[in-house]
Amino acid sequence: VDLSSKIQNTQFKNLFLNASGIHCQSKKELEELMNDHYSGGLVTKSATPNSRFGNPLPRYHSLPAGSINSMGLPNEGFQFYLDYVTHSNIQKPTILSIAGMSKEEDLELLHQIQDSKYQGLTELNLSCPNVIGKPQMAYDFASSNQMLKEIFAFFKKPLGIKLPPYFDLVHFDKIAKILNQYPLSHVNTINSIGNGMWVDVEKESVVLKPKGGFGGIGGAIALPTALANVRALRQRLNASINIIGTGGVTSGKDAFAHVLCGANMVSIGTQLYEEGLGAFQRINNELIEIMKAKGYHSLDDFRGKLKEQ
Ligand SMILES: C=Cc1c(C(=O)O)[nH]c(=O)[nH]c1=O
């Protein structure tokens, strides 16, 4: 059974990635992830120009079937991550994630990447739901289109986009029509489901401090939305644009479902945070067992072949 995957011309020994933000913020986390045998690639925490503490605590809370977070983009700053992916002992392909606080900041970070010796993949996060006062750019179709036009005027290295979930088939049509105009290496869908709410009935209180308790929803409860977004975008995007499926993966079965919907690679977020790096080995092995039982030898045997009723 072969789990090898690729995004454009970058080969990965298996399809599993950490979701940006999970186990990828500090040097220690990055080193552990880089040396982990069961993840095929490494995605960095979305970087801003300067390091940030992020939102006040508590800003993460486990839910019965997932998580809610309002981290607020805590990170070591862009230069730290650029140095890490260009200087450290690279054992696996990397995806450098960036999230400027404005279009100007995004363009500035991309110019720095373009002018650097970094040869890996880059991912522009247009979907962070937790920066106070900052909208999720990818819900503004005109601004997203304008941003991509300005980016591809100068950026020539592989670039993907991290999208928020969409909930209307017309929105899938609109965003796909925009994305198909650009030579993207990939789309990563979904980011957390923005601005959910969890209530502690005992205390009669929200569970997160920032933003009055509103936060992004992830984990098992996000799987149906994640599968819908992977499927809808695979049906609409040019074949040249690969898809990283993110959201709700807790088992080999969930990873199988993402690939069936069209995912080229699969990210693990909440489950990785809750279980630790062992999640990669477990989910890897579960997927291999499922493929063996079904007589599949490679992911291409079933990728995107979801049947309709
Ligand atoms: C980069 C900020 C993000 C954050 C965050 O740092 O609050 N949380 C998410 O669930 N998704 C994000 O994209």
Side-chain angles (χ1 to χ4, degrees):
V1 168
D2 174 10
L3 298 185
S4 62
S5 306
K6 71 187 178 74
I7 297 285
Q8 218 169 40
N9 306 320
T10 304
Q11 286 282 349
F12 296 76
K13 71 173 185 185
N14 78 25
L15 77 164
F16 294 106
L17 297 166
N18 62 297
S20 175
I22 311 302
H23 213 288
C24 61
Q25 183 174 328
S26 68
K27 178 94 174 174
K28 178 175 178 297
E29 287 177 326
L30 288 165
E31 286 299 284
E32 287 174 1
L33 192 52
M34 185 60 84
N35 296 314
D36 174 76
H37 180 74
Y38 288 93
S39 57
L42 176 152
V43 186
T44 65
K45 168 68 185 178
S46 297
T48 50
N50 305 308
S51 65
R52 284 170 58 90
F53 174 80
N55 287 341
L57 281 68
R59 59 194 190 182
Y60 178 94
H61 191 83
S62 298
L63 303 179
S67 65
I68 183 169
N69 91 82
S70 184
M71 309 304 285
L73 250 176
N75 73 98
E76 311 294 326
F78 173 73
Q79 198 56 48
F80 169 86
Y81 297 103
L82 181 62
D83 288 348
Y84 182 77
V85 294
T86 40
H87 295 304
S88 299
N89 64 329
I90 298 296
Q91 320 279 328
K92 59 184 74 169
T94 59
I95 301 180
L96 176 59
S97 176
I98 59 169
M101 305 302 274
S102 65
K103 176 169 79 169
E104 290 63 36
E105 281 194 8
D106 282 332
L107 294 173
E108 171 52 31
L109 294 177
L110 288 166
H111 271 294
Q112 289 186 46
I113 296 170
Q114 180 60 35
D115 298 344
S116 77
K117 59 184 186 356
Y118 178 57
Q119 294 303 316
L121 296 162
T122 298
E123 189 172 283
L124 175 60
N125 183 343
L126 293 181
S127 47
C128 179
N130 301 323
V131 176
I132 294 161
K134 188 173 175 292
Q136 291 171 266
M137 162 76 93
Y139 285 149
D140 178 336
F141 296 113
S143 300
S144 297
N145 194 5
Q146 181 57 33
M147 158 94 92
L148 290 168
K149 191 156 36 171
E150 293 179 34
I151 289 170
F152 284 104
F154 70 89
F155 198 78
K156 303 303 174 199
K157 295 180 176 178
L159 179 71
I161 300 287
K162 180 72 171 283
L163 294 174
Y166 297 97
F167 301 93
D168 185 320
L169 298 192
V170 168
H171 293 168
F172 290 135
D173 296 338
K174 282 176 179 266
I175 193 65
K177 193 162 180 296
I178 291 167
L179 298 177
N180 278 333
Q181 296 168 49
Y182 301 99
L184 290 161
S185 59
H186 69 279
V187 150
N188 188 331
T189 179
I190 61 173
N191 204 319
S192 55
I193 301 169
N195 297 298
M197 170 75 56
W198 191 254
V199 172
D200 178 328
V201 171
E202 289 301 305
K203 297 177 184 162
E204 302 180 15
S205 163
V206 298
V207 296
L208 300 182
K209 183 171 177 62
K211 290 176 58 177
F214 290 89
I217 303 297
I221 37 182
L223 184 61
T225 296
L227 293 177
N229 278 259
V230 170
R231 173 70 165 174
L233 287 170
R234 186 63 286 160
Q235 291 175 321
R236 290 166 174 77
L237 291 174
N238 298 337
S240 60
I241 302 178
N242 292 143
I243 293 180
I244 297 175
T246 303
V249 177
T250 65
S251 68
K253 209 163 153 222
D254 301 337
F256 187 93
H258 265 270
V259 174
L260 207 51
C261 289
N264 295 86
M265 299 192 80
V266 170
S267 313
I268 306 172
T270 298
Q271 191 58 33
L272 176 61
Y273 179 80
E274 298 288 343
E275 184 174 342
L277 288 175
F280 283 123
Q281 181 172 9
R282 175 179 62 82
I283 293 172
N284 223 303
N285 293 342
E286 287 173 2
L287 177 58
I288 286 170
E289 287 314 306
I290 293 167
M291 288 173 69
K292 278 184 189 166
K294 290 168 172 284
Y296 292 135
H297 301 287
S298 84
L299 297 168
D300 283 333
D301 290 348
F302 63 99
R303 176 175 292 119
K305 296 183 177 166
L306 179 65
K307 299 173 193 151
E308 303 206 338
Q309 284 292 336

